[in-house]
Amino acid sequence: MQARLTAYPPDSAAVVRLLGPGAALRVGRAGDCALHLDHPSVSRAHAALENDQDTWRLRDLGSKNGSFVDGTAIVETVLDHACWLRFGDVFCEFMPLSDVAVTAEQADRRARRAAATAHTARIDGVQRLDDLLDASLRGVLDLAQCERGFFLMGDPTAFRVRASIALDPGRLASREFSGSVGAVQQALRQRRSVIVNDIGQEAWLASRASVAAAGLSALVCLPLLEGDSTLGAVYADRVQRGPAITTLDLELLEAFVERAALWIAARRASEKLDVSAAPEWNSILAAHDGPTGHMPADRVA
């Protein structure tokens, strides 16, 4: 029997492993583990997942923080149904798959790569900056499978919304940014993408009043970089539960946004875009830079 193991490291893209008959997979923090989980709660060699004909077996390898199946600590057990595993503090979803399901997953991966290629070709032919931002944002929403998105542009201390889209008519997407400022700032400060597949499990986000009020379930924020310069960020989120944003999705998103950044920089230069920040956005960032160094929870997250 084949299976899929999906790991959800905190604040990162989900890691998916398709496991064929006779497969063996070691889970741990060591770099040579087939499922590498770089988290302090995970031991270097934490657990092993093995297949013998139609039977999947999970063994703990003497880990410090234990291995769990549906909340129960195990030393060794058979996995014969869909279940949640936990290695230290990292949750994983185990799902047995039929041959038909495996074929469908492989077809979906090919389709997602084809979609990324199509979106890239689409922005390559766009001339006007506003149209380019709109097409780029629609590409990010499709690849991230999110419902709402914002294109934020400006210098590293002050950004304004240059484009926004809400695919769900019941959601608001306007010139006023109403997503997670914390995620945007983290992406820009670290110059790397921020992926959150389950906001409820992330204390730094779940406790924010605006995030809770919006009922967000997942988000992605990608910095828009041009060499050492920061052009802005692309942000997308969703309320409805959906497919995990995986490492494959992140690979496609980052390649697409990197291409979009090149075109945006060129269009901005040709149109001499004024990137001064809007007063509302300045006031938000000024509040963040105050004596406490924290964003007011009742304003933004």
Side-chain angles (χ1 to χ4, degrees):
M1 179 184 294
Q2 302 182 76
R4 179 184 66 230
L5 185 65
T6 306
Y8 294 90
D11 198 17
S12 300
V15 183
V16 179
R17 295 287 182 268
L18 291 179
L19 309 172
L25 179 138
R26 190 168 60 149
V27 180
R29 200 175 71 252
D32 61 350
C33 288
L35 180 55
H36 174 228
L37 300 177
D38 188 14
H39 193 272
S41 69
V42 177
S43 297
R44 290 184 57 78
H46 197 106
L49 187 62
E50 300 165 345
N51 176 254
D52 181 12
Q53 296 181 348
D54 289 336
T55 302
W56 287 97
R57 186 174 297 275
L58 178 66
R59 289 189 298 112
D60 184 81
L61 299 177
S63 65
K64 179 180 179 181
N65 293 311
S67 299
F68 300 79
V69 176
D70 287 336
T72 301
I74 62 96
V75 174
E76 183 172 345
T77 190
V78 171
L79 303 179
D80 56 5
H81 62 284
C83 56
W84 282 95
L85 313 180
R86 179 164 62 84
F87 305 114
D89 293 333
V90 178
F91 285 88
C92 299
E93 183 182 17
F94 175 82
M95 177 70 70
L97 297 177
S98 66
D99 291 343
V100 172
V102 170
T103 299
E105 289 221 5
Q106 292 170 339
D108 180 69
R109 290 189 175 202
R110 290 193 295 271
R112 295 190 65 69
R113 289 190 181 278
T117 300
H119 282 300
T120 301
R122 192 170 295 120
I123 65 172
D124 284 353
V126 177
Q127 297 300 317
R128 293 183 61 251
L129 179 62
D130 287 345
D131 294 339
L132 175 60
L133 296 178
D134 183 80
S136 299
L137 189 51
R138 290 184 185 279
V140 168
L141 289 178
D142 180 39
L143 296 175
Q145 301 179 77
C146 284
E147 303 162 349
R148 180 183 68 161
F150 297 90
F151 233 116
L152 308 172
M153 294 187 69
D155 61 57
T157 60
F159 289 84
R160 61 177 177 143
V161 175
R162 281 288 313 198
S164 60
I165 296 174
L167 300 180
D168 180 353
R171 298 199 65 193
L172 175 67
S174 66
R175 291 292 180 179
E176 181 179 348
F177 183 68
S178 55
S180 171
V181 171
V184 175
Q185 291 176 329
Q186 180 172 319
L188 293 170
R189 182 173 61 251
Q190 299 178 359
R191 293 176 62 85
R192 70 172 183 85
S193 302
V194 173
I195 305 283
V196 183
N197 274 300
D198 187 353
I199 287 177
Q201 296 296 321
E202 301 290 343
W204 69 278
L205 278 173
S207 60
R208 300 295 184 101
S210 59
V211 170
L216 301 182
S217 67
L219 65 81
V220 56
C221 185
L222 303 105
L224 197 67
L225 306 174
E226 182 193 15
D228 294 332
S229 301
T230 301
L231 300 177
V234 189
Y235 171 94
D237 63 25
R238 67 185 181 218
V239 172
Q240 299 297 324
R241 295 287 177 180
I245 303 171
T246 68
T247 50
L248 172 61
D249 297 324
L250 181 57
E251 172 194 330
L252 298 176
L253 281 163
E254 289 184 336
F256 175 69
V257 168
E258 181 179 359
R259 181 76 171 197
L262 293 175
W263 284 112
I264 290 168
R267 297 292 179 263
R268 187 180 68 164
S270 65
E271 296 186 16
K272 297 181 179 180
L273 176 67
D274 178 9
V275 294
S276 59
E280 173 66 15
W281 189 250
N282 273 328
S283 67
I284 290 173
L285 291 173
H288 177 71
D289 291 334
T292 63
H294 295 289
M295 192 76 69
D298 62 342
R299 288 293 304 280
V300 292

